[in-house]
Amino acid sequence: TLRNFHFYRGEEDKEPLTVAAYRPGDTVWIRFDITGFKLGDQNRFDVGYGISVLRPNGEGLFQQPDAAGEQDQSFYPRTYVPAGLSLNLTKDLTPGQYTVIVTARDKVGNQPGEARETVTVEK
């Protein structure tokens, strides 16, 4: 499961945007937590995620199926993995409503998770 999914104006921002609206040429910062994954022996976990962006008409604009991941094991079981990514919007991007899809994968429990959020690109 993806929880606490928020958009930010800058990489170090503490407060998320109340409205995910950007302009062509901006950088979109996204942070979220991956939760609900299975643990293996010695509390081992292995999660990864990818991203896709759809144009306002539903056509694919960008896709990176294996954007990042984390694997580890610890004495105490982890209940979530903080994650994030950024997207650089091109200066010629057409204004409209874009759909950001983040797909998480639990490689120990073989379970997927997905979050779909809308981002507005304004002039």
Side-chain angles (χ1 to χ4, degrees):
T1 304
L2 299 174
R3 299 204 187 275
N4 303 319
F5 195 102
H6 298 290
F7 294 94
Y8 297 85
R9 181 80 47 215
E11 182 177 14
E12 301 298 324
D13 287 0
K14 302 283 186 228
E15 295 297 319
L17 295 172
T18 53
V19 176
Y22 297 88
R23 293 178 191 245
D26 283 351
T27 300
V28 176
W29 293 93
I30 304 169
R31 287 189 292 226
F32 53 92
D33 296 325
I34 301 172
T35 66
F37 48 85
K38 302 280 185 193
L39 298 171
D41 294 339
Q42 299 179 338
N43 295 319
R44 183 179 69 83
F45 67 91
D46 188 353
V47 295
Y49 59 92
I51 183 168
S52 300
V53 179
L54 303 179
R55 294 178 187 275
N57 66 3
E59 292 178 5
L61 172 65
F62 174 80
Q63 185 174 20
Q64 188 173 4
D66 295 314
E70 186 173 341
Q71 57 183 328
D72 200 2
Q73 65 185 39
S74 63
F75 181 76
Y76 294 104
R78 293 270 300 261
T79 56
Y80 72 97
V81 174
L85 50 89
S86 65
L87 296 169
N88 296 315
L89 304 180
T90 60
K91 292 186 185 229
D92 63 345
L93 194 62
T94 305
Q97 298 280 327
Y98 290 79
T99 303
V100 175
I101 305 167
V102 176
T103 306
R105 292 172 308 285
D106 172 5
K107 297 176 185 175
V108 173
N110 196 26
Q111 325 176 75
E114 181 179 279
R116 287 177 175 254
E117 298 291 336
T118 302
V119 171
T120 302
V121 176
E122 302 172 333
K123 270 196 159 192

